[in-house]
């Protein structure tokens, strides 16, 4: 191809006369771009969107900016969205830009890939062959996106890179999703990302419109809109083109006719130079754009028409095969087209493209229907005869498009199916779905013999691995299965559900007994119902189970059982779920479906731990983790890290859980598994809270909320951890807001205990912190009716503890007396339904028992000493500090043992200060102040003289009398009558009491008085 490339380069130097050599206007826009370049050079990544109508000068602005960037030593990589007919190639602009970087910095780019060349080959085939195709997973695309962002950050670590992505209005869905991910997550590197789009094409239903709206909400993205030229700017442009001052009449006519559009100015002048009178030109834009084309020699017009139908860029050898001209005639025709500024040599020197897409669109629209079909057929035939005419990564898609545009269903259907397989391998599931829907459209038009010759190209997961003869032709039902999975994986869940329902209608209408395929579609529907928060999916799973019951083992049967077991693991982790998991493992082994077997074993191990078979269950899960890593099934390996860390936390082994989670995050991130990383990070935050590393809880949770997993259930769990943190730090309003955000992410149609019970716990905790005891009781009563499902003790114990602590704190308040017995009875019922299979939950059981006794004024120091002893070896500092505070309180109430109480309070206080646990710190400091115990006594210092009023917070004897009656629920008038003072004097005493206690109201004062035993003799 060297000679042809030389020809392209030679023609690329042909002088054109309709373009102004002077860069006109755009000073503000160019300044914005150069400022972004400066900030990026300083290490702050920049993202910009450049929009404007067709022909307004976006490309010229970018050319000026990239030339400037070159002079400043930046590496520039350009990529454009490719339009072939009505289709785009997946990831086309990113592939082109990465290819440019690969040509410029091959060794540096390979080093930046960090061993993931096989994965990144989906975007840049020059990296080599694709790695093995993992079982489809919903985060496969996100994984590729994460690796791409990391590649760009690394290549831009020690050099400034300008990445330009042009013509987003043609971008395929995968490109749009990758761009959104890049703009959201790019945090490091000396990089400027500039994306351009044609604003006048973005109608209300254009797929780019929601992306632009999303990016507008990102503070890190700046949008630049190019306006049309003013009359003065058109004057400068004409002066540059004509190399002379334009006549005033010509300027006026061009400005009026062009309306300031830079490209139209050039076309009008070019047409004028061709001899056409400006006044005689048609008002039609298409006619204006075709004037110069029609002035070309016949062969040149023919070549221009051929290029118009070939796509955004047409390779020279492919053009030669389709144009069917002698080489000298072809080069002369190209010379004429390039000289007329209609065609340009492609930047890589191996093909031709239109200088402006508006001209290509006008030429294409001017083709006759039969002419268009004939040209597409020629392209397809040429490409089939010599596949090497185009790059391998674009071949399947272009061939499929050419045959489709040729209206030849017999040739198009097989080509479209092959393209769908190649697209899936690149994780471009949205484009795979589009191709499969095109195949569905072509199905009935293709001859029967063509359909009989088709074979399944890439089975949709377990479908239809059911013992079918491999020579069985592809059926329409098989096509629907592929489309269902593609739609689910690209996020088009509504479309996936419609296709699955269509498949069931087809199965019902055919009357064929095909239970395995039907069961497979029911599993898909169950998955979709759950993912779309429209239900828990159990009805669909039950239908699938009924269909496979009694059938010989098969991969579909194993998938049904595994899915049923997974459903039970999350919602009803009992004997039925355990049996389903065991049978799923057995069936998967029989049919040698190792992927399904490993997934089922992981579910089985998780259920075993919940059922009390702790060590065997953990061994099962760890073996799955090791095997999936060895197989390269990183999604399932990440799921193992999620389940193992969660199981360890549920056993109270928080330190181990944090270590597993930390390793899991490193593994998942190294393979770009964004959603999996989010799940593991959420588990890590939970374990860090238990371990008392509260600052890290906030860091990890906020980090999760900044990633691509933020909108999913891991994001909800991160919000729950932030709500827990807010409660522990005395910010109930913040906790309530976080809790509401988490509830919105979880939805309400599929209640899963691991989400609903922590939300109930925090609802109780917030209500208790705000003094809403009635709400605490209502929440617990609703839960106590049904009890806590097996395996949910890890969520139940903290919830019950929060409720009974609220009851104990309210003991003695007249307003809390009514309903107290029923509330404490609800606590006892809840305790009876909770297991305590590990030391942590046994400690919680002791703490709940002690709080029950405190709520009934029968707690003792011995009870609290037992609680402290249970928590001391468990690395749960917040719970230990709370227990120490209670033990100190009980010791002081019993008289004596002040030194022991002081030591307990100092330890509890140190923990509260370190954690930032303000409510606990306040309680400890108030108790210490009342008992006149120093929390920070310097070594060797003489004891401070005791302040007789310290134990009563400075309350006078009369104020103590008023407080005692206030706590009993007396009004100011009643207090005045009992103490023989005036109501006004009683009111003054109440105001003084509130000020001295630092509370806002009478209820808080009463609660504080009871909690600190201010109404009893000082210890």
């Amino acid at each position: 191809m060297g000679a042809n490339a030389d020809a392209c380069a030679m023609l690329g130097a042909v002088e054109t006369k309709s373009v102004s050599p002077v860069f006109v206007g755009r000073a503000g826009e160019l300044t914005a771009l150069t400022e972004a370049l400066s900030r990026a050079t300083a290490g702050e990544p920049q993202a910009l969107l450049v929009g404007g109508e067709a022909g307004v000068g976006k490309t010229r602005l970018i050319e000026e900016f990239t030339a400037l960037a070159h002079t400043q030593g930046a590496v520039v990589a350009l990529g454009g969205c490719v339009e072939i007919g009505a289709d785009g190639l997946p990831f086309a602009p990113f592939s082109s830009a990465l290819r440019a970087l690969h040509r410029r910095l091959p060794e540096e780019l390979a080093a930046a890939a960090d061993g993931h060349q096989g994965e990144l080959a989906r975007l840049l085939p020059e990296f080599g062959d694709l790695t093995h195709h993992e079982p489809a997973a919903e985060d496969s695309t996100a994984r590729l996106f994460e690796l791409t962002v990391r590649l760009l950050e690394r290549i831009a670590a020690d050099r400034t890179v300008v990445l330009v992505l042009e013509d987003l209005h043609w971008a395929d869905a995968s490109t749009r999703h990758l761009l959104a991910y890049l703009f959201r997550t790019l945090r490091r590197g000396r990089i400027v990302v500039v994306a351009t789009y044609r604003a006048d094409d973005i109608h209300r239903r254009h797929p780019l419109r929601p992306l632009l709206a999303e990016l507008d909400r990102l503070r890190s993205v700046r949008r630049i809109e190019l306006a049309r030229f003013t009359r003065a700017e058109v004057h400068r442009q004409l002066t540059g083109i004509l190399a002379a001052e334009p006549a005033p009449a010509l300027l006026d006519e061009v400005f009026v006719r062009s309306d300031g559009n830079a490209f139209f100015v050039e076309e009008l002048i070019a047409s004028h130079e061709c001899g056409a009178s400006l006044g005689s030109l048609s008002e039609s834009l298409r006619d204006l754009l075709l004037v110069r084309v029609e002035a070309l020699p016949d062969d040149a017009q023919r070549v221009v028409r051929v290029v118009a139908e070939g796509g955004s860029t047409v390779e020279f050898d492919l053009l030669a095969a389709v144009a069917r001209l002698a080489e000298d005639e072809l080069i002369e025709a190209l010379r004429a087209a390039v000289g007329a500024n209609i065609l340009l040599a492609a930047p890589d020197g191996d093909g031709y493209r239109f200088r402006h897409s508006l001209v290509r669109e006008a030429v294409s629209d001017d083709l006759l229907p039969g002419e268009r079909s004939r040209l597409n057929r020629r392209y397809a035939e040429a490409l089939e005869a010599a596949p090497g005419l185009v790059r391998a990564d674009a071949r399947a898609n272009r061939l499929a498009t050419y045959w489709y545009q040729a209206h030849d269903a017999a040739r198009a259907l097989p080509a479209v199916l092959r393209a769908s397989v190649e697209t899936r391998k690149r994780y471009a599931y949205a484009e795979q779905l589009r191709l499969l829907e095109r195949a569905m459209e072509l199905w009935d038009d293709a001859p029967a013999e063509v359909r009989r010759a088709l074979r399944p190209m890439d089975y949709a997961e377990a479908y239809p691995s059911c013992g079918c003869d491999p020579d069985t032709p592809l059926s329409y039902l098989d096509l629907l299965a592929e489309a269902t999975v593609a739609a689910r994986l690209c996020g088009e869940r509504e479309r996936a559900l419609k296709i699955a329902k269509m498949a069931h209608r087809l199965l019902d209408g055919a009357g064929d007994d095909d239970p395995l395929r039907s069961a497979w579609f029911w599993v898909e529907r169950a998955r979709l119902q759950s993912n779309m928060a429209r239900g828990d999916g159990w009805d669909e799973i039950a239908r699938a189970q009924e269909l496979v019951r009694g059938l010989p083992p098969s991969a579909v049967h194993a998938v049904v059982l595994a899915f049923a077991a997974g459903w039970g693991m999350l919602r009803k982790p009992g004997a039925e779920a355990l049996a389903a998991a065991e049978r799923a493992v057995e069936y998967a082994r029989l049919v040698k479906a190792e992927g399904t077997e490993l997934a089922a074993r992981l579910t089985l191990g998780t259920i075993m731990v919940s059922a009390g078979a702790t060590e065997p269950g953990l061994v099962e899960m760890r073996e799955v983790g090791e095997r999936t890593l060895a197989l390269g099934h990183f999604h399932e390996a990440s799921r193992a890290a999620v389940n193992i860390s969660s199981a360890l936390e549920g056993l109270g082994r928080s330190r181990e859980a944090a270590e597993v989670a930390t390793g899991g995050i490193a593994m998942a991130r190294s393979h770009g598994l964004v959603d999996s990383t989010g799940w593991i990070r959420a588990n890590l935050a939970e374990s860090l809270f238990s371990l008392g590393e509260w600052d890290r809880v906030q860091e990890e949770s906020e980090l999760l909320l900044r990633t691509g997993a933020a909108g999913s259930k891991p994001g909800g769990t991160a919000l729950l951890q932030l709500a827990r943190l807010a409660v522990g730090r005395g910010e109930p309003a913040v906790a309530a807001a976080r809790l509401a955000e988490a509830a919105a992410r979880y939805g309400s149609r599929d209640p899963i205990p691991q989400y609903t019970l922590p939300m109930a716990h925090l609802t109780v905790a917030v209500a208790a912190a705000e003094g809403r005891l009635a709400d605490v009781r209502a929440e617990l009563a609703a839960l106590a009716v049904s009890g806590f499902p097996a395996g949910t003790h890890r969520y139940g114990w903290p919830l019950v503890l929060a409720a009974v602590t609220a009851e104990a704190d309210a003991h003695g308040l007249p307003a809390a007396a009514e309903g107290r017995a029923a509330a404490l009875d609800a606590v006892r019922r809840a305790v009876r339904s909770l297991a305590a299979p590990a030391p942590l939950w046994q400690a919680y059981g002791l703490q709940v028992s002690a709080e029950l006794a405190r709520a009934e004024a029968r707690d003792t120091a011995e009870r609290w000493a037992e609680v402290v002893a249970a928590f001391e070896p468990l690395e749960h500092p917040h719970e230990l500090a709370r227990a120490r505070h209670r033990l100190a309180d009980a010791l002081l109430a019993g008289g004596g043992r002040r030194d022991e109480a002081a030591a307990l309070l100092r330890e509890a206080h140190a923990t509260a200060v370190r954690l930032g646990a303000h409510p606990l710190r306040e309680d400890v400091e108030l108790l210490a102040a009342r008992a006149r115990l120093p929390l920070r006594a310097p070594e060797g210092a003489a004891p401070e003289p005791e302040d007789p009023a310290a134990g009563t917070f400075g309350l006078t004897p009369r104020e103590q009398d008023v407080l005692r009656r206030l706590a009993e629920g007396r009004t100011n008038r009643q207090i005045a009558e009992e103490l023989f003072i005036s109501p006004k004097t009683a009111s003054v005493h109440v105001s003084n009491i509130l000020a001295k206690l630092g509370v806002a109201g009478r209820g808080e004062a009463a609660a504080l008085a009871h909690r600190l035993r201010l109404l009893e003799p000082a210890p």
Side-chain angles (χ1 to χ4, degrees):
M1 305 241 319
N4 298 330
D6 291 343
C8 293
M10 176 182 67
L11 292 179
V14 172
E15 182 181 359
T16 59
K17 300 180 180 178
S18 63
V19 181
S20 171
V22 179
F23 181 68
V24 176
R26 311 300 185 211
E29 293 86 348
L30 186 58
T31 298
L33 290 168
T34 53
E35 287 177 352
L37 180 64
S38 298
R39 286 192 291 271
T41 302
E44 182 183 350
Q46 301 292 302
L48 302 99
L49 289 168
V50 178
E53 68 179 14
V56 80
K58 299 182 293 297
T59 301
R60 187 65 189 276
L61 172 65
I62 294 301
E63 288 172 350
E64 195 74 14
F65 168 61
T66 53
L68 182 63
H70 272 302
T71 64
Q72 295 186 14
V75 178
V76 177
L78 288 91
C81 298
V82 176
E83 187 186 31
I84 307 175
D87 307 320
L89 289 174
F91 304 122
F94 285 98
S95 296
S96 298
L98 290 175
R99 190 169 285 111
L101 286 174
H102 187 262
R103 284 195 300 268
R104 182 84 178 272
L105 305 166
E107 294 180 2
E108 293 87 341
L109 196 66
D114 192 30
H116 293 290
Q117 285 91 332
E119 287 289 333
L120 290 165
R122 291 176 167 84
L123 291 182
L124 184 62
E126 284 82 348
F127 270 149
D129 295 333
L130 296 179
T131 56
H132 67 281
H133 188 52
E134 261 197 86
E138 294 194 30
D139 61 355
S140 301
T141 305
R143 172 182 173 182
L144 178 62
F145 289 0
E146 177 67 15
L147 293 175
T148 304
V149 172
R150 197 173 310 154
L151 175 75
L152 292 172
E153 288 179 340
R154 285 173 175 157
I155 197 69
D158 53 6
R159 64 181 61 79
T160 303
V161 174
V162 176
L163 183 71
V164 180
L165 309 171
E166 295 190 287
D167 299 325
L168 285 187
H169 48 280
W170 288 329
D172 58 282
S174 295
T175 293
R176 294 193 301 271
H177 296 160
L178 176 50
L179 181 68
Y181 188 88
L182 174 64
F183 277 4
R184 282 197 311 268
T185 60
L186 191 61
R187 295 284 182 272
R188 298 184 298 276
R190 295 162 51 184
I191 186 168
V192 183
V193 183
V194 183
T196 72
Y197 65 95
R198 191 191 289 180
D200 49 330
D201 271 10
I202 312 303
H203 51 77
R204 189 175 62 176
R205 295 189 175 183
H206 195 286
L208 186 62
R209 192 180 185 93
L211 173 61
L212 294 176
E214 176 188 347
L215 297 180
D216 277 341
R217 292 191 290 269
L218 297 178
R219 288 179 296 177
S220 57
V221 178
R222 178 172 181 180
R223 196 195 295 207
I224 298 173
E225 292 286 345
L226 299 189
R228 295 177 178 179
F229 280 164
T230 63
R231 187 178 186 281
E233 288 169 332
V234 170
H235 176 268
R236 290 186 60 202
Q237 184 183 10
L238 287 178
T239 302
I241 293 172
L242 300 172
E245 187 74 16
L250 178 64
L251 172 61
D252 290 341
E253 183 72 12
V254 168
F255 180 66
V256 170
R257 294 295 303 277
S258 69
D259 200 18
N261 183 290
F263 180 66
F264 295 165
V265 170
E266 295 173 356
E267 290 301 300
L268 286 164
I269 287 299
S271 300
H272 180 67
E273 295 286 304
C274 291
S277 166
L278 291 180
S280 67
L281 285 174
S282 164
E283 294 294 332
S284 165
L285 171 61
R286 193 184 74 176
D287 289 347
L288 168 63
L289 297 177
L290 290 175
V291 166
R292 284 193 294 146
V293 174
E294 292 168 349
L296 292 172
D298 289 345
D299 282 349
Q301 290 189 48
R302 179 180 175 184
V303 168
V304 167
R305 286 194 293 272
V306 170
V307 174
E309 203 56 26
S312 298
T313 300
V314 180
E315 296 78 357
F316 179 83
D317 288 340
L318 179 60
L319 176 60
V322 176
R324 299 182 181 177
L325 291 172
E327 185 174 13
D328 289 345
E329 294 171 349
L330 176 59
I331 288 181
E332 285 306 313
L334 286 168
R335 183 182 297 278
V338 171
N341 205 26
I342 294 169
L343 296 182
L344 296 174
D348 60 6
D350 184 30
Y352 292 89
R353 61 182 177 88
F354 278 83
R355 177 179 171 266
H356 203 287
S357 58
L358 283 174
V359 180
R360 181 173 70 81
E361 291 164 13
V363 173
S364 181
D365 289 345
D366 197 48
L367 295 174
L368 298 173
E371 188 178 12
R372 179 176 292 110
S373 298
R374 180 171 55 82
L375 284 175
N376 275 282
R377 176 176 290 278
R378 283 190 184 178
Y379 271 112
E381 290 171 343
L383 196 49
E384 283 193 340
L389 292 176
V390 302
R391 291 194 315 272
D393 58 312
R395 188 180 304 141
N397 277 72
R398 289 179 66 173
L399 187 60
T401 299
Y402 290 145
W403 279 125
Y404 180 79
Q405 298 292 348
H407 304 294
D408 188 334
R411 308 292 288 276
L413 180 58
V416 165
L417 290 173
R418 285 192 294 271
S420 76
V421 173
E422 293 302 313
T423 305
R424 180 179 183 176
K425 289 178 180 176
R426 300 183 72 187
Y427 298 156
Y429 298 118
E431 285 61 53
Q432 182 200 10
L433 175 61
R434 175 182 55 76
L435 288 163
L436 290 169
E437 288 181 324
R438 179 164 287 179
M440 291 157 61
E441 171 196 336
L442 293 166
W443 189 265
D444 288 336
D445 293 333
E449 59 271 18
V450 171
R451 297 200 301 267
R452 283 195 297 269
L454 297 173
R455 295 292 178 271
M457 304 294 292
D458 191 15
Y459 283 132
E461 300 177 350
Y463 177 98
S465 300
C466 51
C468 300
D469 185 339
D471 290 330
T472 302
L474 179 77
S475 71
Y476 190 73
L477 198 64
D478 303 335
L479 201 55
L480 294 180
E482 290 284 352
T484 300
V485 174
R488 170 166 56 81
L489 294 179
C490 75
E492 294 284 344
R493 291 169 179 162
E494 192 71 55
R495 180 63 179 146
L497 189 58
K498 287 181 180 178
I499 296 171
K501 288 179 178 179
M502 187 192 310
H504 273 131
R505 287 195 298 272
L506 187 63
L507 283 163
D508 294 342
D512 294 335
D513 185 19
D514 198 345
L516 288 174
R517 284 181 169 82
S518 183
W520 185 90
F521 278 108
W522 280 117
V523 170
E524 284 297 304
R525 289 175 66 169
R527 194 196 312 264
L528 292 164
Q529 288 285 103
S530 177
N531 290 346
M532 296 165 72
R534 293 184 179 177
D536 61 10
W538 179 249
D539 289 343
E540 291 79 7
I541 295 170
R543 295 284 294 271
Q545 286 183 297
E546 188 61 34
L547 284 164
V548 299
R549 185 171 286 116
L551 296 179
S554 68
V556 172
H557 200 154
V559 165
V560 171
L561 290 170
F563 201 85
W567 188 96
M569 177 187 72
L570 293 175
R571 298 165 181 87
K572 293 182 180 179
E576 189 175 338
L578 184 65
E582 288 173 340
R583 281 187 292 137
V585 172
E586 177 188 355
Y587 279 35
R589 282 175 177 164
L590 286 171
V591 298
K592 296 181 171 54
E594 188 174 13
T596 303
E597 177 197 339
L598 291 168
R601 285 181 62 194
L602 185 56
T603 299
L604 175 61
T606 306
I607 297 172
M608 289 170 65
V609 171
S610 296
T614 301
E615 290 309 319
L618 288 172
V619 168
E620 188 80 16
M621 288 193 283
R622 285 172 172 144
E623 287 179 357
V624 171
E626 292 169 4
R627 178 60 180 160
T628 49
L629 277 176
L631 291 173
H633 292 182
F634 301 114
H635 174 76
E636 199 64 29
S638 297
R639 182 174 164 246
V642 173
N643 287 22
I644 295 170
S645 59
S646 177
L648 288 168
E649 177 62 26
L651 293 168
R653 292 156 62 173
S654 300
R655 182 66 62 187
E656 288 180 69
E659 290 170 358
V660 170
T662 301
I665 289 170
M667 182 272 295
R669 285 197 73 246
S670 70
H671 294 94
L673 295 167
V674 179
D675 213 40
S676 297
T677 302
W679 283 107
I680 307 172
R681 197 179 297 283
N683 286 357
L684 175 61
E686 183 180 2
S687 296
L688 291 173
F689 187 94
S690 299
L691 292 167
E693 299 184 33
W694 285 12
D695 289 340
R696 281 196 62 200
V697 173
Q698 183 148 353
E699 291 171 9
E700 296 292 342
S701 298
E702 291 178 348
L703 177 60
L704 193 161
L705 292 172
R706 291 196 298 269
T707 68
S712 57
K713 288 178 179 175
T717 304
L719 289 164
L720 284 186
Q721 298 311 315
L722 291 173
R724 270 181 92 187
L725 202 58
V727 167
R729 287 181 164 170
E731 301 170 329
V734 173
R738 296 292 197 183
L739 184 58
E741 290 181 70
R745 279 171 169 77
Y746 292 142
S748 60
R749 296 193 179 185
D750 183 14
I752 298 176
Q754 71 180 58
Y755 308 133
T756 57
L757 290 178
M759 285 196 294
H761 166 213
L762 287 167
T763 300
V764 166
V766 169
E770 294 177 343
R772 295 183 283 109
L773 188 60
D775 292 339
V776 172
R777 290 172 174 175
E779 189 74 28
L780 183 64
L783 290 164
V785 170
S786 56
F788 294 91
T792 60
H793 51 271
R794 64 183 293 187
Y795 311 115
W797 280 117
L799 190 161
V800 174
L801 177 61
V804 73
T805 301
E807 291 292 342
D809 287 344
H811 173 67
L813 294 179
E818 185 178 354
R820 176 182 298 280
L824 295 181
D825 186 55
V827 169
R828 290 187 174 93
R829 288 200 311 276
V831 167
R832 284 194 294 271
S833 69
L834 287 170
L840 175 63
W841 309 120
Q842 293 160 15
Y844 263 91
L846 292 171
Q847 192 172 14
V848 167
S849 178
E851 289 290 1
L852 262 172
R854 188 168 71 92
E856 296 172 334
R858 56 182 179 82
D859 62 325
T860 63
E862 289 72 20
R863 280 184 180 273
W864 285 110
E866 194 177 0
V867 176
V868 169
F871 271 110
E872 278 181 333
L874 297 179
E875 281 196 283
H876 276 60
H878 187 240
E879 292 306 328
L880 176 59
R882 290 176 63 188
R884 283 171 170 162
H885 165 249
R886 291 291 174 218
L887 175 56
D889 190 15
L891 288 171
L892 292 169
R897 302 173 69 177
R898 289 174 57 82
D899 290 344
E900 186 180 345
L904 289 165
L905 288 175
R906 280 194 289 271
E907 289 174 316
H909 187 260
T911 298
V913 170
R914 180 176 63 81
L915 298 180
H918 299 302
L920 175 59
R921 178 178 179 174
E922 181 182 84
D923 285 346
V924 171
E925 289 175 351
L926 288 172
L927 179 59
R930 179 176 179 272
R932 299 183 297 280
L933 293 173
L935 292 173
R936 296 188 184 87
E939 289 186 16
E944 295 181 8
E946 291 188 358
D947 180 359
T952 57
F953 293 87
L955 298 178
T956 66
R958 174 61 78 185
E959 287 168 346
Q960 293 177 50
D961 289 340
V962 171
L963 176 59
R964 187 171 289 104
R965 286 160 176 78
L966 183 151
E968 293 171 353
R970 303 287 199 275
T971 65
N972 285 356
R973 181 172 295 279
Q974 291 170 330
I975 294 171
E977 290 174 354
E978 292 183 19
L979 294 178
F980 304 103
I981 59 178
S982 70
K984 183 175 182 181
T985 301
S987 175
V988 170
H989 282 315
V990 170
S991 296
N992 289 339
I993 289 168
L994 299 183
K996 289 179 180 181
L997 296 182
V999 295
R1002 300 166 73 94
E1004 285 185 51
L1008 185 63
H1010 280 289
R1011 194 165 84 242
L1012 298 180
R1013 307 177 196 266
L1014 295 179
L1015 306 180
E1016 303 171 9

